[in-house]
Amino acid sequence: MKRKAVDIIEPSDSKRQREHVPDYCDARSRQDDQGVTTWPVSPGAIESARVFLKECASSQQNILIVPDKDADGLDAGVIIHRTLTVLGAAASSIDVHFVGKGNSIHDEEEREAMKKKSPKYVIVVDQGSRAGPEVIDSPGVKSLIIDHHLSDEFPKDALVVSACHYPPVATSSLLTYEICKDLHPDIASLTGYMCAMGTHGDLGNTLKWAPPFPDMKEVFKTHTKKSINDAVSLLNAPRRTAKFDVVSAWEALLAASSPKDILTNRRLLSARADINEEVERQTHAAPKFSKDGKIAVFRINSAAQVHPVIATRWAAHLRSSKLEIVLVANSGYLPGKVNFSCRIARCARDRDPPVNIISSLKAVADLDTTDLVARMGENFARGHKEASGGIIGNTEFEELMALMKVGEKSDPPPEGEKKTLRKTPPKPRLTAPPHPCHSEPSAPEAPPHLLSLGSSALNLILAYLLTSPTPLVLHRDASTPANYRTNLTTSILLVNHRLYHTSLPILYGANTFTASSAATSYDFDAHLLATPGRCRAMIKSVQLTIDWGHSLWAKMPLVAARLLELKGLKSLKLHVSVDGEVENAEAVGSGVTGQGSGVRQGLAAEAMLKAEKKVLRELVEGLKGLRVFELNGFVDGEFARELEEWIRCGRKG
């Protein structure tokens, strides 16, 4: 029998072509009859919101702000709070209400809780919208809803300002900033960084601020993008924990005068560490695909709200010519319920027609011939076209999966259809992406016989692919050179589970880690916290050049505390400099030392030196497994040599 003709597609160059992903602000904006761009909402809607806020501030009546729990909602809420106080409202007259875990403002218990606060004005921000009665069922209460989630239905008698039909759709914090910034000359400078934080929280930290988005150059000159993005990560962490501690994030943001004030908040740092570990634990679940290959479904069981994080993470890495949507379902977040989050796969972002998650989910549900749609209720397929999800019962979710035919094999191609083969067919990635501190240069895929090798030979190959002769930057930031490359073949981690778990200890245990520069070494504690706990435990070698004069010495104890948590650390090398110069021992001896913008003199210099030596001594003594220690450039050279010799001699003497 003759074989049917096939096309052979030659493999592309070993260097994978970077897929084109449209910028968010490339979306075509609405225009009025004169061709003027209408954004972020109609001018009339913005003016109505401003009149409402000015009335709130001048009334001296009770005001209730009801923000969503994420960075976008919290930033928008604090922008409103600061605007009202600048306009003359007493801070004591402004209250806040946080919707409970798994609830919405439309639930009766939430309506009652808001009513008990006896507000005259209610401002609901970023909560999503649907038809319903008044926000609060009390006579004379006025309500303002500021939102960007897709909806044409809203609570009764509310003033609504929604950006959902004005592309590129503004986040709630950006919309709130646009409403408030012209109400007083100080508001833009007081809240600009909050606008940036909330927007990055929803749209990602790679967003290009292009028109019609406002020019934020002055904001990013005053506050670095790194500090803004790190603050977003911290603000989002508490509400994802099982404790659902939204109030800690609100209080930290309300008290802050810049993103840097948030970066040292102990509660937020602890919450982020907990979430990072939970994400790492849950993210390795294997996907199942719908029969048509368009939806990848991951199932997890966690009391933490990590399903949106995992969905976003997988959407950036899972690839297939058919794949459109990544769905992560969490059956452990609420009793008897499945909370699920959906994201558009990166490989599907420029499809024509565009992928619409809400329409796709509803199309699947409409296949049902019973009452499934009614039983799923209003919490199904809410949010955005690009990021949606829902909260439905366990039974209803299983019925939805059955309608998607998740796990069923796709139908074979029709008889006689011409097949297209590839010499190296692309496969969906079935293991979690490597930690973002490492680049992923293109490299040949692992040969088919790699896993048939013995463990010794396999480890030698992995060590060749995954180790660097120079220290690796643990976390990239603004000071990381644009041409920085690790020259590691981290794509080997993405082959399968066995290679992933075999490679990870080599990647983290056989390399030395550092910061991008001496100035950013003081952020190494945050870099460690951002690293999944299992990976941190594998780190054995750290090398830091610390600019003693760039930051306050008070930050060094934070770095030391994080280093002490690296129980497997075997080698620690510290090089001390002041504004790029090695410290001058004679200067300290004379009572004067450089310290960045000022000098340390007399007794102050002696006290600082004593504190520095105490922290360094406790650090070295606390690292029980330390075998190599170097302290170069320290002002007290004799002290440094004593510590080095103590470790070299096995902690004797």
Side-chain angles (χ1 to χ4, degrees), residues 203-424:
L203 302 181
N205 54 27
T206 59
L207 174 72
K208 294 181 179 178
W209 288 80
F213 276 26
D215 185 351
M216 303 296 280
K217 289 179 183 176
E218 288 302 317
V219 170
F220 293 123
K221 281 182 181 178
T222 307
H223 312 284
T224 65
K225 286 188 177 181
K226 179 185 181 304
S227 66
I228 286 172
N229 296 333
D230 286 349
V232 169
S233 174
L234 289 172
L235 289 175
N236 275 327
R239 54 104 175 183
R240 297 194 188 281
T241 63
K243 295 180 181 178
F244 195 69
D245 186 18
V246 183
V247 66
S248 290
W250 170 267
E251 290 175 349
L253 184 59
L254 192 62
S257 58
S258 75
K260 288 187 177 180
D261 295 335
I262 298 169
L263 302 184
T264 55
N265 186 288
R266 293 287 183 181
R267 170 67 191 117
L268 304 191
L269 288 167
S270 175
R272 185 172 66 177
D274 292 343
I275 290 302
N276 284 344
E277 291 189 12
E278 183 65 6
V279 169
E280 178 65 19
R281 190 171 72 87
Q282 297 286 349
T283 200
H284 298 294
K288 290 187 176 181
F289 293 85
S290 58
K291 187 174 182 179
D292 59 10
K294 293 183 178 180
I295 303 176
V297 179
F298 295 81
R299 306 189 83 157
I300 65 173
N301 189 308
S302 174
Q305 193 189 38
V306 295
H307 40 283
V309 179
I310 295 173
T312 301
R313 187 170 175 177
W314 273 113
H317 291 274
L318 203 62
R319 291 190 181 94
S320 167
S321 59
K322 296 180 180 179
L323 183 64
E324 295 181 353
I325 298 169
V326 173
L327 185 155
V328 177
N330 186 354
S331 57
Y333 189 64
L334 293 175
K337 301 282 188 180
V338 175
N339 291 62
F340 65 95
S341 293
C342 300
R343 300 291 185 268
I344 294 178
R346 182 183 178 91
C347 61
R349 290 183 188 173
D350 57 352
R351 300 272 170 88
D352 188 16
V355 177
N356 184 322
I357 296 177
I358 293 177
S359 297
S360 297
L361 291 174
K362 289 183 176 180
V364 172
D366 288 340
L367 297 174
D368 180 69
T369 56
T370 62
D371 61 344
L372 175 62
V373 174
R375 285 186 285 120
M376 288 192 295
E378 294 288 344
N379 286 327
F380 172 70
R382 308 297 300 181
H384 308 280
K385 294 180 289 185
E386 304 85 2
S388 182
I391 308 171
I392 59 180
N394 290 327
T395 302
E396 288 73 24
F397 184 78
E398 296 304 330
E399 293 179 34
L400 186 67
M401 294 297 98
L403 292 172
M404 291 181 186
K405 300 181 179 180
V406 173
E408 295 186 22
K409 291 185 177 180
S410 58
D411 294 328
E415 187 66 25
E417 183 176 299
K418 194 175 183 180
K419 297 180 180 179
T420 300
L421 302 180
R422 290 179 181 265
K423 287 185 177 179
T424 54

Side-chain angles (χ1 to χ4, degrees), residues 12-280:
S12 60
D13 296 338
S14 60
K15 212 167 190 177
R16 182 184 295 144
Q17 296 297 317
R18 179 170 293 182
E19 57 205 51
H20 171 70
V21 179
D23 292 330
Y24 188 81
C25 292
D26 288 345
R28 187 174 181 180
S29 303
R30 289 176 58 170
Q31 296 183 333
D32 59 19
D33 296 338
Q34 284 74 42
V36 178
T37 297
T38 303
W39 185 90
V41 292
S42 67
I46 286 184
E47 185 56 34
S48 297
R50 289 172 177 168
V51 170
F52 185 98
L53 293 175
K54 288 189 284 189
E55 182 180 331
C56 288
S58 62
S59 70
Q60 300 303 317
Q61 299 289 323
N62 290 341
I63 305 166
L64 182 63
I65 302 174
V66 189
D68 192 24
K69 57 192 176 295
D70 64 2
D72 185 34
L74 293 174
D75 279 296
V78 175
I79 290 173
I80 290 171
H81 191 287
R82 292 203 175 165
T83 298
L84 292 172
T85 55
V86 167
L87 293 178
S92 59
S93 69
I94 306 173
D95 204 348
V96 64
H97 175 75
F98 302 112
V99 175
K101 184 177 180 179
N103 291 350
S104 76
I105 62 167
H106 307 283
D107 294 332
E108 197 57 38
E109 64 178 290
E110 300 296 344
R111 286 161 49 78
E112 285 299 318
M114 291 187 286
K115 186 176 180 178
K116 287 180 181 179
K117 296 179 184 288
S118 303
K120 179 69 174 178
Y121 298 92
V122 182
I123 305 170
V124 180
V125 191
D126 197 40
Q127 291 285 1
S129 303
R130 68 175 189 234
E134 295 90 344
V135 176
I136 294 182
D137 187 16
S138 294
V141 176
K142 296 184 178 182
S143 302
L144 169 64
I145 293 177
I146 299 175
D147 202 16
H148 66 139
H149 297 86
L150 183 62
S151 181
D152 293 311
E153 298 178 320
F154 303 94
K156 183 180 178 182
D157 296 335
L159 172 62
V160 177
V161 182
S162 175
C164 70
H165 294 305
Y166 294 85
V169 176
T171 62
S172 291
S173 54
L174 177 52
L175 175 57
T176 303
Y177 175 77
E178 288 293 309
I179 292 170
C180 297
K181 68 179 183 180
D182 291 334
L183 289 174
H184 190 279
D186 294 338
I187 292 175
S189 60
L190 287 172
T191 64
Y193 70 91
M194 295 182 193
C195 168
M197 287 163 55
T199 303
H200 282 201
D202 258 23
L203 302 181
N205 54 27
T206 59
L207 174 72
K208 294 181 179 178
W209 288 80
F213 276 26
D215 185 351
M216 303 296 280
K217 289 179 183 176
E218 288 302 317
V219 170
F220 293 123
K221 281 182 181 178
T222 307
H223 312 284
T224 65
K225 286 188 177 181
K226 179 185 181 304
S227 66
I228 286 172
N229 296 333
D230 286 349
V232 169
S233 174
L234 289 172
L235 289 175
N236 275 327
R239 54 104 175 183
R240 297 194 188 281
T241 63
K243 295 180 181 178
F244 195 69
D245 186 18
V246 183
V247 66
S248 290
W250 170 267
E251 290 175 349
L253 184 59
L254 192 62
S257 58
S258 75
K260 288 187 177 180
D261 295 335
I262 298 169
L263 302 184
T264 55
N265 186 288
R266 293 287 183 181
R267 170 67 191 117
L268 304 191
L269 288 167
S270 175
R272 185 172 66 177
D274 292 343
I275 290 302
N276 284 344
E277 291 189 12
E278 183 65 6
V279 169
E280 178 65 19

